[in-house]
Amino acid sequence: MASSVGNEEEKNGTAEPVLRVRGLTTHFELSSHTVRAVDGIDLDVARGQTVCLVGESGSGKSATGLSILRLVPSPGRIVSGEISLNGVNLLDLDAKEMERVRGPEVTMVFQHPRAALDPYFRIGDQVTETAAIQMGLSRRQAHETAREHLAAVHVSQIDRITRAYPHQLSGGECQRVMIAMALLCRPKLLIADEPTSALDAKVQSDLLDVLREVTEEYEMAVILITHDIGVVERMADRVAVMYAGRIVEEGAARDVLSSPQHPYTLGLMNSVPKVGQRSRRLQQLDGQPPDPAAMPPGCRFAPRCAERVPHCSEVEPELRPVAPGRFARCHLRGDAPMAAEERAVPG
């Protein structure tokens, strides 16, 4: 068993990462223009750690997850970067080698579980076949393993579920089945893309409990993609906030949520209600994200930012340290030149 110090290092991202992403760039080449969906991001995820990717729709979160699995749909393609899983660059693998990685090493739970299941086969047959193929088990062994994993994610009435077709199950039941299938080979990395989207509050809460329980038991590295700050508060060890294809803030979840540094993160936090703060007035995050085919010059958030200065619209900021283990892509934060000038101006 790992020491508490070692576990804390992994939670804080100081341990050797299971996943190491550097300069990941994914474009969609359309006939008239290029969409820069993911634009040079870096990301580390350690064993036993949950990193939440947060941002509005179109920020590049799902494209990042699909890029890691090398499942970017056409006409998308990974243009450059490195995706290292346990020291192996996945971009160096051929198609057959990558197929052997998906499942045993890295897997994904998708946003719409019913659409990810085959409508023509019973649930039990689908889970059993997946276990047989991925784990090399006999039909009998695969059947037993399938039931064990369904029980592990607290599927009730297993006999009914295994005999059912996807359309006969609720969204929450389908998602539990998908989580069970994802865990069959105990992968090193689990990517969950909006796994509780469109579910009611009770089902969402139960599923998050299941997800945390099984990932802690298997000590997996987890990337949880979400736009829900409530999910982040409940699940994240670290947070990476994405905007217009780039990470604009990154750090320990407790620090980012209690003291957001990037104006975009602050806007997200101020636009959602918080338990126990009924009197707090919500603030709308004005404007829309930029067109990924025509990014504005300078800071991509500048057109929506209440703090912007002329320099923001001219020069794109780098992702810089703002505190130990904290980073923000802003000219007015941390050790950025504009931040230093701002501090030097007499009050």
Side-chain angles (χ1 to χ4, degrees):
M1 181 179 294
S3 69
S4 60
V5 173
N7 288 338
E8 189 64 25
E9 286 179 348
E10 289 165 5
K11 294 287 186 182
N12 291 331
T14 57
E16 185 68 22
V18 170
L19 177 73
R20 184 178 185 271
V21 175
R22 291 294 180 270
L24 177 61
T25 302
T26 300
H27 290 173
F28 285 81
E29 307 286 353
L30 305 180
S31 57
S32 59
H33 58 273
T34 297
V35 174
R36 294 149 66 180
V38 182
D39 204 4
I41 72 164
D42 297 343
L43 187 68
D44 289 344
V45 189
R47 180 172 62 91
Q49 182 185 64
T50 296
V51 174
C52 278
L53 287 184
V54 188
E56 296 167 285
S57 297
S59 60
K61 308 184 302 299
S62 295
T64 297
L66 291 171
S67 296
I68 292 170
L69 280 163
R70 284 181 51 187
L71 290 176
V72 180
S74 179
R77 66 185 182 93
I78 299 172
V79 176
S80 61
E82 174 188 339
I83 305 170
S84 179
L85 185 65
N86 286 324
V88 176
N89 187 359
L90 301 185
L91 298 183
D92 291 337
L93 304 183
D94 61 29
K96 287 190 175 180
E97 290 171 329
M98 194 63 208
E99 287 178 2
R100 290 193 289 269
V101 169
R102 297 188 196 104
E105 299 292 328
V106 55
T107 191
M108 191 168 187
V109 175
F110 293 94
Q111 181 175 359
H112 302 293
R114 188 175 286 108
L117 293 166
D118 194 316
Y120 296 104
F121 292 91
R122 298 180 190 273
I123 295 296
D125 292 335
Q126 296 190 53
V127 183
T128 297
E129 182 179 7
T130 301
I133 293 174
Q134 291 190 352
M135 304 174 72
L137 303 177
S138 68
R139 182 74 182 180
R140 181 185 181 87
Q141 291 172 322
H143 176 74
E144 293 174 354
T145 299
R147 293 181 67 89
E148 289 172 1
H149 280 74
L150 289 171
V153 297
H154 306 301
V155 169
S156 60
Q157 301 177 321
I158 291 180
D159 289 338
R160 175 182 68 84
I161 297 294
T162 55
R163 290 195 300 266
Y165 291 91
H167 72 273
Q168 296 174 312
L169 303 183
S170 68
E173 288 171 332
C174 285
Q175 195 60 283
R176 286 177 189 266
V177 170
M178 290 304 300
I179 294 172
M181 292 174 70
L183 298 176
L184 283 169
C185 295
R186 299 197 176 189
K188 308 296 189 303
L189 173 66
L190 172 68
I191 302 173
D193 187 0
E194 300 276 9
T196 58
S197 176
L199 301 176
D200 66 50
K202 179 62 168 64
V203 175
Q204 180 185 88
S205 178
D206 290 345
L207 272 175
L208 291 176
D209 285 342
V210 166
L211 193 59
R212 178 173 285 281
E213 178 184 326
V214 295
T215 54
E216 286 182 349
E217 179 182 351
Y218 297 160
E219 293 189 302
M220 289 186 293
V222 179
I223 295 176
L224 179 55
I225 298 169
T226 184
H227 65 275
D228 189 332
I229 297 298
V231 172
V232 177
E233 291 175 336
R234 185 165 178 173
M235 301 293 292
D237 298 307
R238 295 186 68 80
V239 178
V241 181
M242 291 194 69
Y243 185 78
R246 289 186 179 271
I247 291 176
V248 297
E249 182 166 356
E250 195 268 335
R254 60 179 178 271
D255 297 331
V256 173
L257 295 174
S258 64
S259 178
Q261 292 297 301
H262 195 279
Y264 176 62
T265 310
L266 182 61
L268 289 179
M269 296 291 296
N270 287 337
S271 66
V272 296
K274 291 189 177 180
V275 176
Q277 297 185 11
R278 294 183 180 179
S279 61
R280 186 174 71 93
R281 183 170 181 173
L282 301 183
Q283 300 177 21
Q284 179 176 321
L285 186 57
D286 294 328
Q288 296 293 327
D291 182 349
M295 295 293 185
C299 175
R300 297 177 182 184
F301 186 65
R304 306 173 71 185
C305 183
E307 300 181 41
R308 66 182 180 273
V309 296
H311 185 72
C312 297
S313 299
E314 299 168 358
V315 179
E316 185 172 7
E318 298 178 4
L319 192 65
R320 295 176 178 271
V322 294
R326 297 284 308 277
F327 302 88
R329 190 181 296 275
C330 181
H331 289 304
L332 305 178
R333 301 292 190 275
D335 60 358
M338 288 297 294
E341 290 178 18
E342 185 183 64
R343 288 192 292 269
V345 174

